Amino acid sequence: MKKLPVKKIIKLFRYGCMLAITGAVILFSTDCYVKAKAADSILSEDELIHSEEKADAILVLGAQVKANGQPCLMLEERLNTGIQLFKDGAADRIIMSGDHGSDDYDEVNAMKSYAIDHGVPSECIFMDHAGFSTYDSMYRAKEIFQAKSLVVVTQEYHLYRALYDAMAFGLDAQGVPCDTAVYEGDAYRKSREVLARMKDVGFTLLKPEPAFLGDTISLNGSGDVTNDKN
């Protein structure tokens, strides 16, 4: 097998380094842009309540549900914050948006059950069964639930992208982080989030439809219209 000349190897190496540096700069710049765009919309629970602005709904983003149907610690933190905001009057509706892509895996019913067990009336809880991604959740909040303003609840590292997506759809969105615990695999999720932010910048520019849309659901009615179980 013929060997490449040393000069050509050096040239290819330089091109490779240039591409890697360019890619890193684009990735870093996009990450900084998304975080800067959303930073001013992230508030503490106290700041949000004292702002005296009532949103159309509190949007709690889904996360893993255990095999026994109980939310993982990360999801439990999101739910606790969303429930407290509801009780404090931030909004009189909650949208539970998560993955219910099969009969065997159901985030949203677990989320609604948890909220009911903690004192939120069933009719005030809407389930978005097709919130398969952060982008899908925001798209559907606007198009299906016809929301104009949201309080978004998730961990802070995730909140930047969630708020960026919401604002890209013209939603008046504020976010409340719920980081009160150390989560397993946290470092991996935060590093992966950098790539996810870049992906969603592309998605919000092109605005492809999510996997599922469907009929509109009025937040002025009862959340029980989204129930799929007796």
Side-chain angles (χ1 to χ4, degrees):
M1 188 175 178
K2 190 176 180 181
K3 292 183 178 181
L4 289 172
V6 174
K7 286 185 178 180
K8 191 165 186 177
I9 292 173
I10 293 173
K11 189 175 182 180
L12 289 171
F13 177 76
R14 286 175 177 169
Y15 282 148
C17 288
M18 287 174 63
L19 286 172
I21 291 169
T22 302
V25 168
I26 293 171
L27 191 64
F28 177 75
S29 299
T30 303
D31 186 57
C32 290
Y33 172 71
V34 170
K35 292 173 77 172
K37 192 82 172 175
D40 289 342
S41 297
I42 297 177
L43 306 175
S44 68
E45 290 183 53
D46 286 342
E47 286 173 329
L48 183 75
I49 298 305
H50 290 141
S51 71
E52 298 182 355
E53 291 184 17
K54 193 171 183 178
D56 291 339
I58 297 160
L59 177 64
V60 181
L61 294 168
Q64 184 184 22
V65 170
K66 300 174 186 176
N68 63 4
Q70 296 301 307
C72 68
L73 176 60
M74 178 176 283
L75 181 53
E76 191 174 311
E77 294 283 294
R78 297 180 188 183
L79 290 166
N80 288 339
T81 300
I83 291 165
Q84 189 59 52
L85 288 168
F86 172 86
K87 292 179 177 179
D88 287 339
D92 58 9
R93 295 288 186 270
I94 301 179
I95 302 173
M96 303 297 189
S97 185
D99 185 347
H100 187 190
S102 68
D103 293 334
D104 297 331
Y105 187 73
D106 181 356
E107 292 177 359
V108 291
N109 274 288
M111 293 164 74
K112 179 163 184 170
S113 295
Y114 185 95
I116 291 171
D117 290 344
H118 287 77
V120 181
S122 176
E123 62 270 19
C124 296
I125 308 168
F126 293 75
M127 290 184 288
D128 175 11
H129 297 269
F132 300 128
S133 69
T134 306
Y135 173 85
D136 284 4
S137 294
M138 298 308 165
Y139 195 121
R140 289 173 55 80
K142 175 72 179 293
E143 298 299 328
I144 300 299
F145 294 98
Q146 303 287 288
K148 295 180 181 177
S149 59
L150 292 173
V151 175
V152 183
V153 178
T154 185
Q155 278 69 34
E156 185 171 352
Y157 79 91
H158 183 207
L159 203 48
Y160 294 103
R161 176 162 59 102
L163 289 172
Y164 180 87
D165 288 358
M167 290 186 287
F169 286 110
L171 290 162
D172 179 8
Q174 295 177 309
V176 176
C178 53
D179 303 82
T180 62
V182 176
Y183 313 105
E184 186 178 351
D186 206 33
Y188 168 72
R189 274 187 294 270
K190 287 179 179 177
S191 60
R192 187 183 63 178
E193 185 66 15
V194 176
L195 292 173
R197 288 173 191 145
M198 186 171 182
K199 171 184 71 71
D200 276 21
V201 167
F203 271 43
T204 54
L205 286 172
L206 299 173
K207 289 191 170 59
E209 288 190 357
F212 296 99
L213 279 174
D215 297 331
T216 59
I217 299 169
S218 174
L219 291 170
N220 293 322
S222 171
D224 289 340
V225 298
T226 62
N227 291 356
D228 64 330
K229 296 180 180 180
N230 295 325

